[in-house]
Amino acid sequence: MPTIYDVAKLSGLSKTTVSRVINNHSYVSEEKKNLVLKAMKELNYTPNPSARKLRGQVTTTIGVIVPRIVNPFFSYLVDSIEQVAYKNGYHVLIFQSNEDKEKELVFLNLLKTKQVDGIIMTSIENDWSIIEPFTESGPILLCNEYVNNANVPIVRLDQYKGAYIGVKHLLEKGHRKIGYCTGGLFAEEGKDKDRNQGYQKALQEAGIEPDPKWIFVNQHSIEDGKQVVKKILSMEDRPTAIFTGSDEIAGGMMIEAKECGLKIPNDLAIIGFDDQPLAQMLDPKLTTIRQPIDQMGIKAMETLIDMLNDSEVKVETFELPIELVVRSST
Amino acid sequence: MPTIYDVAKLSGLSKTTVSRVINNHSYVSEEKKNLVLKAMKELNYTPNPSARKLRGQVTTTIGVIVPRIVNPFFSYLVDSIEQVAYKNGYHVLIFQSNEDKEKELVFLNLLKTKQVDGIIMTSIENDWSIIEPFTESGPILLCNEYVNNANVPIVRLDQYKGAYIGVKHLLEKGHRKIGYCTGGLFAEEGKDKDRNQGYQKALQEAGIEPDPKWIFVNQHSIEDGKQVVKKILSMEDRPTAIFTGSDEIAGGMMIEAKECGLKIPNDLAIIGFDDQPLAQMLDPKLTTIRQPIDQMGIKAMETLIDMLNDSEVKVETFELPIELVVRSST
DNA sequence: TTGTATGCGTTATCAT
DNA sequence: ATGATAACGCATACAA
């Protein structure tokens, strides 16, 4: 590996001058500049990022923490973040937390040690009180998941409205017995809190009391979806429609429903969440909630870049719209 | 940010001793060791990776280059690589090349500059002659995609057999007019070369000459799948079965086929590739080729770790088996 | 068993 | 306009 010193030697100049050329500083004559450029090319020289980082410079690297990259929601989110980042000369390090608190902290530490300039968190495992101190080491932005007491910019979707319009849609279709799947718990705080409220609000407006036995918590996978249908079938009093937390769960439910001879949407209406590619491939095509994932990623990365360039960026929350896509499963 | 020096000061010892404790060296008395540990904890100290890298130590970071992370094949591959890596104390940097030569080189450069200890390439954009020099800077392993003249370990799937058994299956079902979709070109070399040969071989054994008009190149997306069906429908002489390059294309074909009133598998048999979750959610459920993605990722990462620990690892090619999953689309 | 001194590659400060 | 030098945080050769 050639170093800046090798370039200096070859071009017959000093390290300083070479450094000036690299960083586009002024006061370098055109002549010497070309000399340096030539030497750099000849040696196939690349500055050592570790050294630059150590020296306290920008790393032009940002980190994105996701729970699991195999979840299409997050892979698409990362993709859009990465596009914007690359255009602006940033690298993206992708970290999978696997919903593990320890791992999340390991990643946040990279901010402290100047491995990354900033971090976008798309999920939150630790208490905010634990995460908060890291904001002193560099900008942190919350994207998708959020906490109320965080003093950092937040880019998120209007999950409340997502659930609200979904359930509303089911009500308009004449359903009164509407079940609900959530990836979290059915609680006031924590994961999916906003969706929970949207669901309740819609029902409440229709004068309906949510039935606890139709509420399924901690649902994530295709397999979970299958189980939900089994559970429903074993009930005396069954829901006629289900609002799910993801297209995957909806897909799993469809598999099992067909297996059991249940007609969709007649016997059971299903509404998904995400509008993943598979939503239009399911049969019947899935009614679902579309989230502008790309826009969210773009807005998040752009905001982070603003924070990087100007430390006095206003702490704002951006709430992106969410929409209902009506297909044939409802 | 506390440094090793701060820890030394607080514990009343020297930087050296602290360093010894950090790196678990011998010849440190239990007493002083505890002193150091206590100071580290108190200061919430984390060693600065940039400094360590600069000093020439291991980075405990490896890079994985993928074309696009939103492609489930690659997100699952990355996931399994990451699991193994994390267990062995390695971080994984995920790089999206977007099939861009320049970007690929940017990433390979991280090896030269000691940003990563090694690299797993799951795709190859540049000529091998361009990539080859980078092997001097650290171990490179080819996973999934490969080139014949590469002098590095390769972990890949038996794509030839994948296509062969798929087409064979269609032949056994009585099909004689078998179309083919590929993500690359239908060529001797380059992307999907092995699959191409498997397809041809199976046909040839049945005494059938591939019909060029039923061969669709550069097919990737759901949309591509839809187009394929449209093209087929416009033909006088239509294929009765299609071997596709991915479950997504197969899914796209199914959407369009239903749209056009084509019955699957009666009017058109479809076979996918990958056995993604969606394969079992399609209706009819998709016959497809299952690839042991997890195993491939595990084997790749384990091999890379071997290379990292012992520079004299034998250069081998590991070919993993691939299997046919018969469902209802054929 | 512990400490001192040096250098990794880079950039910023201060001379010239 | 250019160069010498210090400093970033760490790990190691060498000394004690």
Side-chain angles (χ1 to χ4, degrees):
Chain A
M1 263 295 296
T3 75
I4 197 172
Y5 180 72
D6 299 318
V7 177
K9 217 167 43 179
L10 183 61
S11 59
L13 296 162
S14 73
K15 289 194 303 179
T16 309
T17 305
V18 176
S19 176
R20 287 203 180 96
V21 173
I22 293 170
N23 297 286
N24 257 317
H25 279 188
S26 36
Y27 300 125
V28 181
S29 67
E30 202 62 28
E31 177 197 2
K32 315 258 176 188
K33 183 172 170 183
N34 287 330
L35 237 44
V36 171
L37 255 24
K38 184 157 162 283
M40 293 200 335
K41 188 146 205 175
E42 194 170 327
L43 292 171
N44 189 17
Y45 164 79
T46 322
N48 183 320
S50 293
R52 296 183 120 170
K53 288 175 192 169
L54 183 56
R55 193 57 182 73
Q57 278 306 103
V58 203
T59 73
T60 60
T61 302
I62 68 110
V64 179
I65 301 179
V66 298
R68 288 200 80 194
I69 195 71
V70 296
N71 181 328
F73 177 87
F74 292 105
S75 66
Y76 276 91
L77 183 54
V78 165
D79 186 46
S80 74
I81 290 174
E82 209 258 357
Q83 307 281 350
V84 178
Y86 196 77
K87 265 185 213 139
N88 288 273
Y90 283 91
H91 285 183
V92 175
L93 302 196
I94 305 171
F95 305 125
Q96 287 202 79
S97 73
N98 275 311
E99 312 196 358
D100 179 320
K101 292 186 187 201
E102 291 262 9
K103 251 182 135 176
E104 185 176 81
L105 289 179
V106 169
F107 299 148
L108 285 169
N109 252 309
L110 298 177
L111 192 56
K112 260 176 57 180
T113 55
K114 297 284 178 242
Q115 290 297 102
V116 294
D117 293 336
I119 285 186
I120 296 178
M121 301 183 72
T122 71
S123 62
I124 305 170
E125 303 304 330
N126 288 280
D127 282 344
W128 184 250
S129 58
I130 297 181
I131 298 171
E132 205 275 331
F134 288 96
T135 58
E136 284 177 26
S137 311
I140 290 180
L141 181 146
L142 266 30
C143 175
N144 181 47
E145 205 79 65
Y146 73 102
V147 289
N148 282 318
N149 53 337
N151 186 31
V152 297
I154 295 171
V155 178
R156 64 181 183 82
L157 302 167
D158 191 347
Q159 303 284 350
Y160 169 87
K161 188 180 159 204
Y164 180 82
I165 58 178
V167 175
K168 200 84 180 172
H169 168 71
L170 293 172
L171 287 165
E172 280 161 11
K173 286 277 181 177
H175 294 280
R176 305 282 296 174
K177 300 173 168 187
I178 300 176
Y180 178 77
C181 294
T182 170
L185 303 169
F186 193 70
E188 288 285 315
E189 277 306 314
K191 208 173 263 181
D192 286 352
K193 56 181 180 298
D194 291 346
R195 289 190 198 174
N196 298 344
Q197 285 181 21
Y199 167 70
Q200 287 174 293
K201 177 71 174 174
L203 285 190
Q204 182 193 313
E205 285 182 9
I208 300 173
E209 190 69 23
D211 190 327
K213 70 173 183 291
W214 296 336
I215 295 186
F216 304 89
V217 298
N218 263 320
Q219 303 294 312
H220 298 98
S221 64
I222 295 171
E223 197 47 47
D224 289 336
K226 290 184 186 174
Q227 295 305 324
V228 167
V229 170
K230 282 185 186 152
K231 282 181 201 146
I232 289 177
L233 280 173
S234 73
M235 292 177 181
E236 292 274 320
D237 186 23
R238 300 176 189 169
T240 61
I242 297 274
F243 181 91
T244 71
S246 78
D247 289 349
E248 270 129 351
I249 296 170
M253 289 186 62
M254 279 203 189
I255 297 176
E256 189 63 26
K258 278 178 200 165
E259 215 64 51
C260 303
L262 229 49
K263 288 283 177 221
I264 295 168
N266 293 352
D267 297 335
L268 184 66
I270 300 179
I271 181 165
F273 211 110
D274 283 348
D275 195 26
Q276 289 176 21
L278 84 89
Q280 54 165 317
M281 293 198 274
L282 291 170
D283 186 12
K285 295 184 179 177
L286 186 66
T287 295
T288 188
I289 309 292
R290 176 179 298 154
Q291 315 191 68
I293 302 183
D294 278 11
Q295 281 179 50
M296 182 162 69
I298 292 169
K299 184 66 187 171
M301 189 63 215
E302 285 178 347
T303 306
L304 188 65
I305 291 176
D306 284 349
M307 294 167 77
L308 255 17
N309 294 336
D310 168 19
S311 51
E312 293 308 314
V313 170
K314 222 182 343 173
V315 173
E316 274 181 283
T317 292
F318 301 94
E319 198 176 63
L320 273 47
I322 212 165
E323 80 190 283
L324 176 70
V325 181
V326 180
R327 295 205 181 90
S328 318
S329 69
T330 53
Chain B
M1 260 297 294
T3 75
I4 196 173
Y5 179 72
D6 299 318
V7 178
K9 217 166 41 178
L10 183 60
S11 59
L13 295 163
S14 73
K15 289 193 304 179
T16 311
T17 306
V18 176
S19 176
R20 288 203 179 95
V21 172
I22 294 170
N23 297 286
N24 256 316
H25 278 190
S26 37
Y27 302 124
V28 181
S29 68
E30 203 61 28
E31 177 198 2
K32 315 255 176 189
K33 185 171 168 181
N34 288 331
L35 237 46
V36 171
L37 257 21
K38 182 157 163 281
M40 290 198 340
K41 188 147 205 174
E42 194 170 326
L43 292 170
N44 189 18
Y45 165 79
T46 322
N48 183 320
S50 293
R52 299 182 110 166
K53 287 176 194 167
L54 186 56
R55 189 60 180 73
Q57 280 304 105
V58 204
T59 73
T60 61
T61 302
I62 67 113
V64 179
I65 302 179
V66 297
R68 285 201 81 195
I69 195 68
V70 295
N71 181 328
F73 177 87
F74 292 104
S75 66
Y76 276 91
L77 183 54
V78 164
D79 186 45
S80 73
I81 289 174
E82 209 258 357
Q83 306 281 347
V84 177
Y86 196 75
K87 266 184 212 140
N88 288 274
Y90 283 92
H91 285 182
V92 174
L93 303 196
I94 304 171
F95 306 123
Q96 288 202 80
S97 74
N98 275 313
E99 314 197 356
D100 179 321
K101 292 186 188 202
E102 290 261 12
K103 249 181 137 178
E104 185 176 81
L105 289 179
V106 169
F107 297 149
L108 286 168
N109 251 311
L110 298 177
L111 193 55
K112 259 177 57 181
T113 55
K114 298 284 178 245
Q115 291 296 102
V116 295
D117 292 337
I119 285 186
I120 295 178
M121 301 182 71
T122 71
S123 62
I124 305 171
E125 303 304 331
N126 288 279
D127 284 343
W128 183 250
S129 58
I130 297 181
I131 298 171
E132 204 275 332
F134 288 97
T135 58
E136 285 177 26
S137 311
I140 291 179
L141 181 146
L142 265 30
C143 176
N144 180 48
E145 205 78 63
Y146 74 102
V147 288
N148 282 317
N149 53 336
N151 186 33
V152 296
I154 295 171
V155 178
R156 64 182 181 82
L157 301 167
D158 191 348
Q159 302 284 352
Y160 169 88
K161 189 180 160 206
Y164 180 83
I165 58 177
V167 176
K168 201 83 179 172
H169 168 72
L170 293 172
L171 287 165
E172 279 160 11
K173 286 277 182 175
H175 294 279
R176 305 282 295 172
K177 299 174 168 184
I178 301 175
Y180 179 77
C181 296
T182 170
L185 303 170
F186 194 69
E188 289 284 314
E189 278 306 313
K191 206 172 264 183
D192 287 352
K193 56 182 180 297
D194 292 346
R195 288 190 197 174
N196 297 345
Q197 284 180 22
Y199 166 69
Q200 288 174 292
K201 178 71 175 174
L203 285 189
Q204 181 194 316
E205 284 181 11
I208 299 174
E209 190 68 26
D211 190 326
K213 72 172 180 292
W214 296 336
I215 296 187
F216 304 89
V217 299
N218 265 320
Q219 302 294 311
H220 298 100
S221 64
I222 294 170
E223 197 45 48
D224 289 337
K226 290 184 185 173
Q227 294 304 324
V228 167
V229 169
K230 282 187 186 151
K231 282 182 200 145
I232 289 176
L233 280 173
S234 72
M235 292 178 182
E236 292 276 319
D237 186 23
R238 301 176 188 168
T240 62
I242 297 275
F243 181 91
T244 71
S246 78
D247 289 350
E248 269 130 350
I249 297 171
M253 289 184 63
M254 279 203 190
I255 297 177
E256 189 63 28
K258 278 178 201 165
E259 215 64 50
C260 303
L262 229 48
K263 289 282 177 221
I264 294 168
N266 293 352
D267 298 333
L268 184 67
I270 300 178
I271 181 165
F273 212 109
D274 284 346
D275 196 23
Q276 289 176 19
L278 83 90
Q280 55 164 318
M281 292 198 274
L282 291 171
D283 186 12
K285 294 183 181 178
L286 186 66
T287 294
T288 187
I289 309 293
R290 177 180 298 154
Q291 315 191 69
I293 301 183
D294 279 11
Q295 280 179 51
M296 182 161 70
I298 293 169
K299 184 68 188 169
M301 189 63 216
E302 286 178 348
T303 307
L304 188 66
I305 291 176
D306 285 349
M307 294 168 78
L308 255 18
N309 294 335
D310 167 18
S311 51
E312 292 308 315
V313 169
K314 223 183 344 175
V315 173
E316 274 181 285
T317 293
F318 301 94
E319 198 177 63
L320 273 49
I322 213 165
E323 79 189 283
L324 177 70
V325 180
V326 180
R327 293 205 181 91
S328 318
S329 69
T330 53

